[in-house]
Amino acid sequence: QVLSKDLYQALAKGQRQPSSAANLNRSEILFAGGEKLVTHQTMISLYASLPEMNPDSLPNDFAKILAQMLNLKEGVVGQALKGSEPYPLIKEKLSPAEIRDIEGLKIASLRLKEEESPFFPQTETAAAVTGFIDKDASGQYGLEGFYDKVLGDPKVASLILSLDYAVQSMAEKLLKESQADLEFRSGQILVLDPKNGEILALATWPSFDPNHYEKEKLKNFQNPVVQKIFEPGSVFKPLTMAAAIQEQKVTPETTYTDEGVVRIGQIPIYNYSNRKYGQQTMTQVLEKSINTGAVWALQQLGPELFLKYLEKFGFFEKTNVDLQGEVFS
């Protein structure tokens, strides 16, 4: 509860109903090409006017009837009708069928109200990037959390991202297909523009639907790319090789002979699936992600230069990406 205070606080807000409707008309968030990632829509909400409600004029089992019409639990409706709030919210985002049913009751103390609501038209796409908006119109996680005050400012028309809709969609498709084959518990794809470092895609699996975040699992709200710490593994190989090439310790054509294992002291380091490749160039080391080849290149570079290059690459600093909750260790 202490370490994950913000997470539990956001969930708690999503599981309760506010005493009155909040102004949820926030600024839009757009992909680089203008496709809408977060916008707003008009919805119909149902309120009860308790000062005007005459119990004697209501049908028997009124709370039960209302609950069945709205697909709610009878206890939730009953608690709202008996609470201290004079104008309780019964349900928001009513369907056309629900609206017709409520109008058919012809009960004056039930009020249908038109309101603006945040809407995530891409549903789960880039949800780890956007975060969500709670019942009090506060941004939680991702861009919504980071730019909460900005997006709530009526002077701000929209927030335009570097994310490319096509690249983001393809990255998420690849993750879903790979998860079905490999059955991994979590996966991420990050695509950057090498010319300027702009993020073209930040995809995660599993994802969640920000439109119905209150139904989601707590762990799905976190963006693993910025909010979790893990060993980088083979993604370090290109950095090791770049440093060795920059220091002219190797070239892309430099060769070495792979025996399938290399020892650091008494610790053996094997290739994936214990493969043995024989003579390979540094280019082939990267193409085949050969563990022993990366170790060999590092040995040519030396630990002191390697550490210096890690500092130059910025591994000991936060990225300060504009997403809420970046962790650093």
Side-chain angles (χ1 to χ4, degrees):
Q1 289 177 331
V2 174
L3 297 178
S4 303
K5 175 182 72 70
D6 293 341
L7 179 65
Y8 289 108
Q9 188 177 58
L11 184 70
K13 287 182 177 180
Q15 292 178 328
R16 66 180 176 83
Q17 293 178 328
S19 58
S20 60
N23 177 16
L24 298 178
N25 189 4
R26 289 163 65 90
S27 301
E28 294 184 322
I29 299 180
L30 311 177
F31 283 101
E35 301 89 349
K36 292 184 178 182
L37 186 53
V38 185
T39 182
H40 43 78
Q41 64 178 0
T42 300
M43 68 174 185
I44 302 297
S45 298
L46 176 65
Y47 291 84
S49 176
L50 298 189
E52 300 177 63
M53 189 170 287
N54 181 3
D56 296 332
S57 65
L58 298 177
N60 294 329
D61 297 325
F62 177 61
K64 183 177 181 179
I65 293 172
L66 203 56
Q68 290 176 342
M69 280 185 176
L70 302 175
N71 193 27
L72 296 173
K73 293 182 179 179
E74 183 180 348
V76 173
V77 176
Q79 184 177 6
L81 296 178
K82 296 177 182 178
S84 59
E85 170 63 42
Y87 304 99
L89 171 65
I90 306 300
K91 186 177 182 180
E92 61 182 6
K93 300 181 182 178
L94 269 65
S95 69
E98 290 172 336
I99 294 172
R100 288 195 298 270
D101 288 343
I102 294 299
E103 290 176 336
L105 290 176
K106 299 185 183 302
I107 297 177
S109 56
L110 291 179
R111 304 287 180 79
L112 294 171
K113 184 178 179 182
E114 190 175 275
E115 298 175 327
E116 288 293 320
S117 170
F119 179 56
F120 296 77
Q122 310 297 338
T123 60
E124 295 186 359
T125 300
V129 176
T130 62
F132 58 87
I133 302 168
D134 67 20
K135 300 293 184 181
D136 292 332
S138 297
Q140 303 291 336
Y141 294 89
L143 294 166
E144 289 290 355
F146 190 91
Y147 288 110
D148 184 34
K149 293 183 178 179
V150 174
L151 293 169
D153 187 343
K155 298 178 182 178
V156 179
S158 59
L159 188 66
I160 302 176
L161 311 182
S162 61
L163 290 187
D164 183 286
Y165 176 75
V167 180
Q168 179 73 29
S169 298
M170 178 58 70
E172 298 203 9
K173 179 182 177 183
L174 290 172
L175 275 177
K176 290 180 181 178
E177 292 175 348
S178 299
Q179 198 283 328
D181 293 334
L182 302 175
E183 297 183 350
F184 51 72
R185 289 180 295 176
S186 176
Q188 302 84 42
I189 294 179
L190 182 63
V191 182
L192 305 180
D193 186 333
K195 297 178 182 178
N196 52 28
E198 287 186 350
I199 299 176
L200 303 181
L202 196 164
T204 65
W205 192 97
S207 187
F208 67 95
D209 184 353
N211 293 301
H212 305 288
Y213 69 90
E214 68 279 0
K215 300 178 182 179
E216 300 288 345
K217 295 179 180 179
L218 291 171
K219 62 181 181 180
N220 291 351
F221 294 154
Q222 286 188 301
N223 183 339
V225 176
V226 297
Q227 291 185 286
K228 292 186 179 179
I229 298 173
F230 58 92
E231 293 184 3
S234 290
V235 298
F236 244 70
K237 288 189 176 86
L239 305 177
T240 303
M241 200 65 70
I245 291 174
Q246 180 68 21
E247 289 296 319
Q248 299 182 351
K249 302 297 183 180
V250 301
T251 70
E253 293 76 30
T254 298
T255 62
Y256 89 111
T257 301
D258 169 41
E259 299 293 343
V261 63
V262 61
R263 293 184 179 274
I264 306 298
Q266 299 299 314
I267 301 175
I269 298 176
Y270 299 94
N271 292 323
Y272 177 72
S273 295
N274 292 316
R275 293 177 181 175
K276 185 176 180 179
Y277 293 91
Q279 189 177 73
Q280 299 288 309
T281 66
M282 295 299 101
T283 298
Q284 290 172 317
V285 167
L286 290 182
E287 289 175 343
K288 301 173 183 178
S289 192
I290 303 175
N291 294 339
T292 61
V295 173
W296 188 87
L298 173 58
Q299 290 172 332
Q300 312 313 303
L301 183 65
E304 292 184 2
L305 276 176
F306 181 63
L307 180 61
K308 184 178 295 184
Y309 271 90
L310 292 187
E311 292 176 348
K312 290 182 177 181
F313 278 122
F315 277 96
F316 305 118
E317 304 172 10
K318 277 190 173 184
T319 67
N320 290 319
V321 64
D322 46 348
L323 293 172
Q324 191 178 53
E326 180 183 8
V327 296
F328 181 73
S329 177

